[in-house]
Every structure is written in C-alpha cells, then in structure tokens.
Amino acid sequence: RKEVEQDPGPFNVPEGATVAFNCTYSNSASQSFFWYRQDCRKEPKLLMSVYSSGNEDGRFTAQLNRASQYISLLIRDSKLSDSATYLCVVWRQGGKLIFGQGTELSVKP
Amino acid sequence: EPEVTQTPSHQVTQMGQEVILRCVPISNHLYFYWYRQILGQKVEFLVSFYNNEISEKSEIFDDQFSVERPDGSNFTLKIRSTKLEDSAMYFCASTVRTGDYGYTFGSGTRLTVV
C-alpha cells in the first residue's frame, strides 16, 4: 500500500467551480501534513499546512481527520491560474516529506 | 523572498559519466534534502543532511550517490556513474526546522542521461 494516496486525476472544471481533493495516508505516526502545488516541470511549492482544526487561506480550505487518516483540500471559485498538480504531503518524526502522486487540476474558461 | 538556487538547470550526460548537481540552500536553514522526480511520476526522497552528515537515505540512494556540503553554503549531489534510469528532475530543498514547517524547494536540475 502506498504511504500517501490521492484521487487519481485529472480534474477538469470550469472557472468558478468548487473542487475538492482527497488524500489518505497509511502511517499513523505521520505528524505534519501539507498541500503543495506543482506547475508543469517546476518545483513543488508549499500551498498550506494542514491542521486538525481545519484551516483556511482565502479560497483554499484544508481539513485533517487523524482518526481516519484523511486529508482534504477544497478550492472555491476556481481560477484559470489554479491549474496545476496538487500534492498531498506528510511528514513524520525523524523522517522526511513523503509525497503523494498528485492530482492534476485543469480549470477551463 | 529567500530562495534555494540550483545549477545547472539542465544537464545532458553520457551513460557512465559522473555528474555533480549543485544547490545553494537558504542561508539560515539547517536541514537539507535531495529529491528526484522521474517524468510522470511522484516526487521521491533521496537523502537528508543535517549537521554535516547524512541523517537518512532512501533505497534509491545507493553507492553511486554521494552528498557533500563543502564550504558551508553549497550542497552537492554527485552521481558517480550515471545510468539511463537516473534521468529525472532533481530537486534540492532546505528548511530551518523540521516538523510543521514546510520545505523550500529549488527550481530543479533536469538530468538527461543518454
């Protein structure tokens, strides 16, 4: 079983749509959680950390459910510039960042 | 905004040749990493480096790979004898502390082995 699994993509949505990405992780020792964004052939860039209480940054909302080992990212009012691959990433003590395979989002006019 | 700098951006090498990929992490960062991404695949951990030594390495990071921080600013990844399957994007990353603090990635070196 993969340590971090994400929805297979791609997601094709119109501008203004709300889109949700799901992610599960298998190692219960995972302690920190992130969503990264990766544009085509570029480096991953930190979008936001994910906390158990849930957190929001503008149009982006992230949720974490430790009991079910589930992470989500919601993008509201999607823009053309949101088109990218979204990476679910976990970290555990003494370890390193572990990446999911990514979910590609394409926002169309 | 501080950034992680990687050079070269693209390197083409013959199979069996040695390559050195260079990175300049953010100056006050203490933890350094190399990751790679084969085209169409996920980002994979190679090695972490802290306090001038390797703290963890993956099964990919075999005897052909080595890392060095020769002068307190540069962080290098050497591949001794490149194989075709080493063709990938190599990303350097750094962070000031681990845990709930994300890493900053460099823009990557695209290595093509022919």
Side-chain angles (χ1 to χ4, degrees), chain B residues 64-84:
Chain B
Q64 294 299 314
F65 290 86
S66 62
V67 289
E68 206 175 35
R69 189 159 157 78
D71 56 13
S73 61
N74 292 284
F75 179 50
T76 61
L77 174 69
K78 183 193 290 186
I79 310 175
R80 254 180 284 281
S81 178
T82 49
K83 307 182 187 68
L84 294 176

Side-chain angles (χ1 to χ4, degrees), chain B:
Chain B
E1 188 176 322
E3 54 183 36
V4 174
T5 306
Q6 287 187 245
T7 54
S9 55
H10 190 190
Q11 177 145 5
V12 182
T13 189
Q14 296 267 351
M15 194 168 56
Q17 294 296 303
E18 175 183 288
V19 294
I20 298 176
L21 310 183
R22 301 180 193 279
C23 170
V24 179
I26 293 172
S27 60
N28 65 331
H29 285 190
L30 302 175
Y31 299 83
F32 314 110
Y33 307 86
W34 283 100
Y35 282 78
R36 81 170 186 190
Q37 187 175 32
I38 295 170
L39 188 63
Q41 297 188 23
K42 68 176 185 176
V43 178
E44 300 176 289
F45 169 77
L46 290 178
V47 65
S48 57
F49 193 86
Y50 171 71
N51 203 25
N52 281 321
E53 59 183 24
I54 290 174
S55 39
E56 187 175 352
K57 57 185 180 180
S58 72
E59 59 275 9
I60 302 167
F61 194 90
D62 61 21
D63 292 345
Q64 294 299 314
F65 290 86
S66 62
V67 289
E68 206 175 35
R69 189 159 157 78
D71 56 13
S73 61
N74 292 284
F75 179 50
T76 61
L77 174 69
K78 183 193 290 186
I79 310 175
R80 254 180 284 281
S81 178
T82 49
K83 307 182 187 68
L84 294 176
E85 55 265 35
D86 294 328
S87 295
M89 192 74 151
Y90 288 80
F91 293 110
C92 174
S94 68
T95 186
V96 64
R97 68 172 191 260
T98 58
D100 62 352
Y101 216 72
Y103 301 177
T104 302
F105 284 81
S107 55
T109 294
R110 179 166 302 283
L111 177 64
T112 303
V113 183
V114 297

